[in-house]
Amino acid sequence: MMFKSVWFLRRLMQRYGGDSKRRSFVRLASGAAEGAAASGSITAEQAVRMWAQHFKQHGISEPLLSSQYIVAHVLGRKTLECVERGKLRDKLTVRERERVWNLCSKRLTRMPVQYVIEEWDFRDLTLKMRPPVFIPRPETEELVGLVLEDLQLRWGEMYRTDLRCLEVGCGSGAISLSLLHSIPQLRVFALDQSQTAVCLTTENASRLGLQDRLDVRHLDVINDADSIMSECGPVHFLVSNPPYLLSQEMKSLQTEILLFEDHGALDGGSDGLSVIRPILALASKLLTERGRVYLEVAPCHPPVIQKLIEERMPGLLYLETRCDLTNRPRFCILQKKG
């Protein structure tokens, strides 16, 4: 089987566990091999249709989109719409067919497309992606837009002076790097409990030329609060897309997420607030006067967080709740009292 590396296959076999499940996996991959062999010389359009059908037969979510993204990536484009019409009707080269097969075989294991093609767009940036680092979702793009809008309205003048930000849970670096890209005077201190995430954020920052204004550390907001306090210093705002799923919700996640993404970036404990609480405690100490906190949370959280602030954190003020594009309460804005 033409997996790119032996360790990847072994890892998949371990994930599937049990002889019967392993045999199912082998049959799945073998079926893909037979389909690719039977296809012979095919065009990009034919490859998209063939793999979309194969994905559908094996219960892969978004089969057509998955196939389109992979074939477009092999052709050097982000989407099929970006590929010249004539190129779509040309026969794939042997190398292109092999790459399509290799990548689609990974998708058959339920690996998310973002990991398969090893990159994804976030707002106006293209970021490298690598399992198990959390894949940024559209809601987080909304969070960045909200932060930029609020900063412009409230601190318009500060766009022309130094701004300091703390991001808790940087993952691939999506939030920090998008903010740095949009605000030339911004400096960010970003942290994550995963060393893999820290490395990926650092790599993305270097690729985008933003490393000089970003300080990334392998720190845990729950266990390393004192270190964060001493190393970070005062910040004008804190932003985070923390783990906020309730532990009981983890079992109902898509197979792609359960198999490949870091559960530590998702599981927020029994009430979804196990990381949010220490974030708020840290904010009350690190924020400058009237500094703000921007959080992405579960729809059930805004009233709970507001009550928590009012009852236990007198240094903070709950300002407002914002909804996402699906009209679910998704974002909390808080402020340090002045």
Side-chain angles (χ1 to χ4, degrees):
M1 294 187 298
M2 297 171 59
F3 285 91
K4 285 190 174 180
S5 57
V6 174
W7 70 263
F8 178 76
L9 177 57
R10 286 176 178 169
R11 177 178 164 202
L12 288 172
M13 298 292 272
Q14 290 169 352
R15 284 183 183 276
Y16 274 72
D19 291 339
S20 62
K21 291 184 177 180
R22 289 175 183 169
R23 286 195 295 270
S24 296
F25 169 74
V26 171
R27 287 196 298 271
L28 190 69
S30 298
E34 292 168 4
S39 65
S41 180
I42 60 174
T43 67
E45 287 180 333
Q46 290 170 333
V48 168
R49 290 195 297 269
M50 182 189 78
W51 280 105
Q53 182 180 9
H54 207 66
F55 290 154
K56 185 176 181 180
Q57 289 172 348
H58 291 286
I60 303 299
S61 62
E62 299 182 326
L64 181 58
L65 277 176
S66 297
S67 180
Q68 289 174 338
Y69 274 122
I70 290 171
V71 173
H73 177 74
V74 169
L75 296 178
R77 297 291 186 268
K78 294 186 183 299
T79 66
L80 280 188
E81 289 74 15
C82 298
V83 180
E84 300 84 351
R85 176 63 62 179
K87 180 69 173 174
L88 290 174
R89 295 170 180 167
D90 289 343
K91 300 289 185 182
L92 294 175
T93 66
V94 173
R95 177 174 175 78
E96 287 170 342
R97 289 202 308 271
E98 288 179 350
R99 287 197 67 206
V100 168
W101 189 89
N102 284 334
L103 297 181
C104 286
S105 295
K106 288 186 176 184
R107 184 70 185 106
L108 277 173
T109 69
R110 298 300 183 95
M111 177 180 277
V113 169
Q114 293 91 335
Y115 293 153
V116 170
I117 65 176
E118 299 182 352
E119 66 177 32
W120 201 245
D121 285 354
F122 183 87
R123 289 175 62 88
D124 48 359
L125 301 178
T126 299
L127 302 173
K128 294 294 291 183
M129 292 289 144
R130 186 176 303 124
V133 180
F134 184 69
I135 299 167
R137 269 58 172 184
E139 292 88 350
T140 307
E141 295 191 21
E142 294 180 54
L143 174 64
V144 172
L146 180 157
V147 173
L148 292 172
E149 176 188 354
D150 194 60
L151 289 177
Q152 181 63 58
L153 288 173
R154 182 171 178 268
W155 286 339
E157 289 300 316
M158 294 189 73
Y159 266 88
R160 294 187 287 275
T161 62
D162 289 337
L163 268 178
R164 286 182 55 82
C165 164
L166 169 64
E167 183 190 3
V168 177
C170 56
S172 63
I175 294 175
S176 289
L177 297 175
S178 189
L179 291 171
L180 287 167
H181 180 72
S182 299
I183 309 174
Q185 289 74 28
L186 179 66
R187 299 190 67 85
V188 175
F189 186 96
L191 57 95
D192 203 289
Q193 52 83 29
S194 163
Q195 181 62 57
T196 305
V198 169
C199 292
L200 185 56
T201 291
T202 302
E203 179 182 339
N204 278 323
S206 297
R207 290 178 62 253
L208 296 167
L210 297 169
Q211 69 277 10
D212 292 343
R213 293 186 287 126
L214 177 66
D215 189 356
V216 191
R217 302 293 181 89
H218 181 209
L219 294 168
D220 182 348
V221 70
I222 297 176
N223 300 312
D224 302 320
D226 290 341
S227 297
I228 297 169
M229 285 288 297
S230 62
E231 296 180 33
C232 179
V235 295
H236 297 98
F237 65 97
L238 183 155
V239 62
S240 182
N241 172 23
Y244 57 69
L245 291 181
L246 279 62
S247 295
Q248 65 188 28
E249 298 174 330
M250 293 293 293
K251 296 178 182 178
S252 62
L253 293 175
Q254 277 187 318
T255 303
E256 283 85 345
I257 299 173
L258 288 172
L259 284 178
F260 291 97
E261 294 195 68
D262 181 7
H263 292 192
L266 294 161
D267 191 343
S270 60
D271 60 1
L273 298 174
S274 63
V275 178
I276 292 176
R277 286 191 190 89
I279 286 176
L280 296 176
L282 190 65
S284 66
K285 300 173 183 177
L286 274 180
L287 287 175
T288 58
E289 186 176 317
R290 298 175 64 79
R292 291 198 169 180
V293 179
Y294 305 92
L295 295 176
E296 178 181 331
V297 299
C300 64
H301 280 150
V304 180
I305 293 174
Q306 183 171 2
K307 184 177 180 181
L308 176 66
I309 294 298
E310 292 172 351
E311 294 181 353
R312 302 185 186 181
M313 298 185 178
L316 294 176
L317 178 67
Y318 191 95
L319 293 182
E320 62 176 309
T321 302
R322 298 276 188 95
C323 293
D324 60 23
L325 291 179
T326 62
N327 206 34
R328 293 175 296 178
R330 178 67 65 184
F331 311 108
C332 299
I333 304 178
L334 304 90
Q335 181 173 292
K336 184 172 182 178
K337 291 181 179 178

